[in-house]
Amino acid sequence: MTIFLIGLGLGDPKDVTVKGLEIIKKCERVYLESYTSILGCPKEELEAFYGRPLIIAERDLVEQGADDILEGADTTDIALLVVGDPFGATTHTDFILRAKEKGIPFKVIHNASIMNAVGCCGLQLYNYGETISIPYWDDSWKPDSFYDKIKQNRQHKMHTLCLLDIKVKEPTLESLMKKKREYMPPRFMSVAEASTQLLAIAKNRNEPEVLNENTLCVGLARVGHDDQTIKVCTLKEMAESDLGGPLHSMVIPSMHLHALEVDYLQLFSENKIEV
Amino acid sequence: MTIFLIGLGLGDPKDVTVKGLEIIKKCERVYLESYTSILGCPKEELEAFYGRPLIIAERDLVEQGADDILEGADTTDIALLVVGDPFGATTHTDFILRAKEKGIPFKVIHNASIMNAVGCCGLQLYNYGETISIPYWDDSWKPDSFYDKIKQNRQHKMHTLCLLDIKVKEPTLESLMKKKREYMPPRFMSVAEASTQLLAIAKNRNEPEVLNENTLCVGLARVGHDDQTIKVCTLKEMAESDLGGPLHSMVIPSMHLHALEVDYLQLFSENKIEV
């Protein structure tokens, strides 16, 4: 039979495609992958909408336990549901390779992901360079290698999509020693936190032509949800902004914007955008 | 009321989201934008599936005739359906700006587009640089400026997504003089045609470290359709390949691939991929 990887889009149960919904309804087992992104709604709401029970697939299950998910897929249909699009995370590429090794046919049902929905801020998708991920800093670990990618994109007139860190099911340091894992509450980096870290790096690197307090940036919150929020302002202002609940993403636009891009960004800015 | 821009995904009527379908069913007028991409199915099939008549919105209507589409949107709901995602083309950004100017609320229903579904070839979306468009050459017009973007992406270890030219509703040269326009049959550039043009440019530029006959490339046809086809081979082999009907796209991978990317590309290659 077949293993289906089904993209759920950006959070609302009704963002699944009609084709995806039909497949979910007929699959023997339906897994919901719970870590590469977060759902905009509780599991129960999805179950009610699909009319099917969902098995939560934690990180371990998808990464090490592909065997469990794939078990019986030679005789029955199984679905793995993924927030966004199934090819948004390397985990799924790996998962498909393992299905292939076992000779199990797979089919992917695509959907919107932040990688294309970020177009909603009006910056042309064609002009994005490499995407970066901004991780949470802690006292001893303050990585900043992504700065060089922002620099490179800006030097070559490209926008930079910044994906912000998600900490879900992180074991507490204490519980690592114990048999029973205990987890920290989930954390989702806000555009304000990301901007604060970027400003610290900018200060350290001291290349104001790359990034400085007045660099224009775009904060996006809950893209594709009814309460989607976009704000365009300087990096310093963004560090003091509250865009509400998760997920947040950020864009550092190219310094060379098309007139239409400026007009569109202007919708989300309190001040006149100077380029 | 509201103007809805609804992404249809990659071609099959059932690729619309459940939310999108519900909105289509309740809108007073439903326009189908027919030029920025092509549909994988005839209009009649969509109308039967939606249970709603569709008004074809040609290029002129969306670009110059936003007024027609928006007429009455202050008192009624109107939908504009777009293949892929609504933010895949600048036309729609412009369209939304005009709705805003008139004070008409708008809402976008996202969907998959080639910009994220290209992930299906296994090259990580984060590592794509600027996207290029390869236009059809004719006897007197042989643009090649996109070559420099491929070069730049390759120099910076990024993949390049190449969107291939679509000629739909191109008036014949003769009919330009007449009152009644006559149109050429639609043309969709194949990966073979694109590769042939790229090889001509490579020969001309003579920078074999950027592009040469043996450069690895990925041909994609009908992404998201049941008969989706992906082929990984050299540029020279691609120039002699037939991947069947439209739409085609192409990727020139970075010269620096991750092990997982190589493993995945290998699924689509007859020969062992050397990196």
Side-chain angles (χ1 to χ4, degrees):
Chain A
M1 303 294 282
T2 306
I3 175 96
F4 293 92
L5 270 89
I6 302 176
L8 297 186
L10 295 160
D12 184 320
K14 291 185 177 175
D15 284 331
V16 70
T17 66
V18 173
K19 192 189 286 175
L21 183 59
E22 286 182 358
I23 293 169
I24 293 169
K25 284 184 181 292
K26 74 174 183 137
C27 277
E28 180 81 11
R29 298 200 306 278
V30 185
Y31 292 89
L32 173 64
E33 197 233 38
S34 70
Y35 70 92
T36 49
S37 192
I38 59 147
L39 287 166
C41 66
K43 174 186 168 233
E44 291 69 28
E45 199 179 318
L46 280 178
E47 287 180 322
F49 181 67
Y50 300 149
R52 304 280 288 114
L54 298 178
I55 309 163
I56 293 287
E58 306 282 4
R59 183 184 290 244
D60 313 357
L61 197 61
V62 182
E63 287 185 355
Q64 279 102 46
D67 289 356
D68 291 0
I69 298 179
L70 294 172
E71 198 188 319
D74 47 342
T75 56
T76 183
D77 287 333
I78 293 167
L80 175 61
L81 313 187
V82 175
V83 177
D85 183 73
F87 287 104
T90 45
T91 316
H92 308 127
T93 328
D94 194 43
F95 180 81
I96 292 174
L97 278 174
R98 280 185 280 172
K100 280 292 269 189
E101 268 169 29
K102 291 174 189 283
I104 300 166
F106 71 91
K107 194 166 162 58
V108 172
I109 309 297
H110 289 288
N111 210 321
S113 61
I114 188 66
M115 301 299 288
N116 71 336
V118 68
C120 65
C121 74
L123 295 170
Q124 287 309 305
L125 286 177
Y126 310 145
N127 299 331
Y128 279 78
E130 193 167 347
T131 302
I132 65 162
S133 295
I134 302 186
Y136 270 118
W137 282 354
D138 61 28
D139 292 341
S140 59
W141 194 67
K142 296 191 165 55
D144 68 356
S145 58
F146 51 81
Y147 171 90
D148 299 299
K149 294 178 183 172
I150 298 175
K151 181 178 174 179
Q152 181 178 292
N153 284 341
R154 278 171 81 77
Q155 282 172 339
H156 295 101
K157 305 183 182 177
M158 294 187 279
H159 315 307
T160 307
L161 170 60
C162 312
L163 303 176
L164 309 187
D165 206 357
I166 296 174
K167 294 245 185 245
V168 184
K169 283 260 177 182
E170 293 281 315
T172 60
L173 211 55
E174 300 79 47
S175 82
L176 285 176
M177 318 298 218
K178 300 178 193 169
K179 273 201 180 151
K180 189 176 174 340
R181 285 284 163 85
E182 280 159 13
Y183 298 98
M184 294 192 275
R187 288 169 77 199
F188 306 99
M189 187 184 282
S190 69
V191 292
E193 290 171 308
S195 300
T196 305
Q197 290 191 186
L198 282 172
L199 283 171
I201 299 169
K203 196 176 169 194
N204 188 32
R205 298 286 189 116
N206 198 20
E207 297 171 316
E209 72 283 8
V210 177
L211 278 188
N212 65 58
E213 289 193 341
N214 296 315
T215 299
L216 193 72
C217 61
V218 183
L220 303 106
R222 302 172 302 285
V223 168
H225 295 226
D226 284 339
D227 62 347
Q228 168 179 306
T229 301
I230 301 176
K231 179 171 183 174
V232 174
C233 60
T234 68
L235 204 48
K236 184 158 187 269
E237 289 162 342
M238 197 65 83
E240 291 151 10
S241 299
D242 180 2
L243 267 55
L247 288 178
H248 289 193
S249 318
M250 223 172 119
V251 180
I252 314 285
S254 159
M255 281 173 282
H256 302 263
L257 298 174
H258 298 166
L260 189 60
E261 291 180 315
V262 175
D263 288 349
Y264 209 89
L265 287 182
Q266 194 65 63
L267 298 178
F268 311 112
S269 173
E270 286 177 11
N271 302 306
K272 181 149 170 43
I273 296 170
E274 311 282 354
V275 282
Chain B
M1 302 293 283
T2 305
I3 174 95
F4 293 92
L5 270 88
I6 301 176
L8 297 186
L10 293 160
D12 183 318
K14 292 184 175 174
D15 284 330
V16 72
T17 66
V18 172
K19 193 189 286 174
L21 182 59
E22 286 182 0
I23 294 168
I24 292 169
K25 284 183 180 293
K26 72 172 186 140
C27 277
E28 178 84 10
R29 297 200 307 276
V30 184
Y31 291 89
L32 172 64
E33 197 233 38
S34 71
Y35 70 91
T36 50
S37 191
I38 59 148
L39 287 165
C41 66
K43 173 186 169 230
E44 291 69 25
E45 199 180 317
L46 280 177
E47 288 181 321
F49 180 68
Y50 300 149
R52 303 281 291 117
L54 299 178
I55 309 163
I56 293 287
E58 305 283 4
R59 182 184 288 245
D60 311 358
L61 198 60
V62 182
E63 288 186 352
Q64 279 101 47
D67 289 357
D68 289 0
I69 298 179
L70 295 171
E71 197 187 321
D74 48 340
T75 56
T76 182
D77 286 334
I78 293 167
L80 174 60
L81 313 186
V82 175
V83 177
D85 184 75
F87 285 105
T90 45
T91 316
H92 307 128
T93 328
D94 193 44
F95 180 82
I96 292 174
L97 279 174
R98 279 184 281 172
K100 280 291 269 189
E101 268 170 28
K102 290 173 190 285
I104 301 166
F106 71 91
K107 191 165 165 57
V108 172
I109 308 298
H110 288 288
N111 210 320
S113 62
I114 188 67
M115 301 300 289
N116 72 336
V118 69
C120 64
C121 74
L123 296 169
Q124 288 308 308
L125 285 177
Y126 310 146
N127 299 330
Y128 280 77
E130 191 167 349
T131 301
I132 65 162
S133 295
I134 302 186
Y136 270 118
W137 282 355
D138 62 27
D139 292 341
S140 58
W141 195 66
K142 296 189 166 54
D144 67 356
S145 58
F146 49 82
Y147 171 89
D148 298 300
K149 294 179 183 170
I150 298 175
K151 180 177 173 179
Q152 182 179 290
N153 285 341
R154 278 170 81 75
Q155 283 172 339
H156 296 99
K157 305 183 183 178
M158 294 187 280
H159 314 307
T160 309
L161 169 61
C162 312
L163 303 175
L164 309 187
D165 205 358
I166 296 173
K167 295 244 184 244
V168 183
K169 283 259 177 182
E170 292 282 314
T172 61
L173 210 58
E174 301 78 48
S175 83
L176 286 176
M177 319 298 218
K178 300 178 192 169
K179 273 201 177 152
K180 188 175 174 343
R181 284 284 162 86
E182 281 158 15
Y183 298 99
M184 294 192 276
R187 287 169 79 198
F188 306 99
M189 187 184 282
S190 68
V191 291
E193 290 171 309
S195 301
T196 305
Q197 289 189 187
L198 283 172
L199 283 172
I201 298 169
K203 195 176 169 193
N204 187 33
R205 298 286 189 114
N206 197 22
E207 297 171 316
E209 72 284 8
V210 178
L211 278 188
N212 66 57
E213 289 193 341
N214 296 315
T215 299
L216 193 72
C217 61
V218 184
L220 304 106
R222 301 171 303 285
V223 168
H225 294 226
D226 284 336
D227 62 347
Q228 168 179 307
T229 300
I230 302 177
K231 180 172 183 173
V232 174
C233 60
T234 68
L235 204 47
K236 183 157 186 270
E237 288 163 343
M238 197 66 84
E240 290 151 11
S241 300
D242 180 3
L243 267 57
L247 287 178
H248 289 195
S249 317
M250 222 171 120
V251 179
I252 313 286
S254 158
M255 282 172 282
H256 303 262
L257 297 176
H258 298 165
L260 188 61
E261 290 181 316
V262 175
D263 288 349
Y264 209 89
L265 287 182
Q266 194 65 61
L267 299 177
F268 311 112
S269 172
E270 286 177 13
N271 301 306
K272 180 147 173 42
I273 295 170
E274 311 281 355
V275 282

